[in-house]
Amino acid sequence: MSTSAPVGVIKLISDGVKRNLARFEPQKPQTIARSLAIGNPADGPFAIKEIRESGGWAEDVSDPEIVEAIQLLAETEGIFGETAAGVTVGVTQKLIQAGRIGANEATVVCVTGNGLKTTDAIAAEYPLTEAIAPRLEAFEAYLDSQLATAAVAKV
């Protein structure tokens, strides 16, 4: 996994908006967000123009920020999103932190991809654990052991 590579199409467009560019140099993005690794998006100049003219703004996120945002989405909403979802959530966080989206505004974030599509992108951060048998008793025993471990750690 890259440690700081910005996402392809998102980085090109956000850079264009931030630097007031009409066009951008095509790139060969290296990112875990493969679905967004478009180095020369056909509608990129149009997107830059529309974002700027509408008073909008654009941001980008690094691969580690994508993984953090995937985890945040899972922990807070119970949604396991794919890498593009991590981009959406991570960029939304940055826009809120920058004051471009009000922290108390109603905001809709579209997350359409399931995290099972891109498990390879987070495998290094979340190594596999031993599987439990597909039986209620096995699940309850596992849950009991986790609660006991948490109780010991809390003391």
Side-chain angles (χ1 to χ4, degrees), residues 2-71:
S2 172
T3 56
S4 62
V7 176
V9 66
I10 301 300
K11 175 59 178 168
L12 290 171
I13 292 171
S14 68
D15 188 52
V17 170
K18 292 173 186 176
R19 293 179 36 209
N20 202 25
L21 302 175
R23 299 204 143 284
F24 45 77
E25 280 294 315
Q27 299 176 9
K28 289 188 178 187
Q30 298 296 314
T31 177
I32 62 173
R34 293 182 308 271
S35 63
L36 301 177
I38 303 166
N40 191 13
D43 289 340
F46 177 74
I48 291 169
K49 178 180 177 282
E50 291 302 313
I51 291 168
R52 204 177 297 117
E53 288 179 3
S54 70
W57 195 247
E59 260 308 335
D60 50 82
V61 289
S62 66
D63 285 355
E65 289 170 322
I66 293 170
V67 173
E68 289 172 13
I70 290 170
Q71 180 174 344

Side-chain angles (χ1 to χ4, degrees), residues 76-145:
T76 60
E77 303 302 324
I79 298 170
F80 180 31
E82 53 117 7
T83 52
V87 171
T88 303
V89 171
V91 165
T92 301
Q93 280 185 290
K94 283 188 172 185
L95 293 173
I96 291 169
Q97 290 166 353
R100 295 196 177 270
I101 296 175
N104 295 318
E105 287 181 30
T107 304
V108 176
V109 178
C110 295
V111 174
T112 59
N114 187 308
L116 295 175
K117 292 174 18 179
T118 57
T119 56
D120 59 309
I122 61 167
E125 298 292 323
Y126 304 97
L128 290 177
T129 58
E130 186 177 331
I132 61 171
R135 291 188 310 278
L136 182 57
E137 302 82 33
F139 173 73
E140 288 173 340
Y142 172 78
L143 186 58
D144 287 343
S145 72

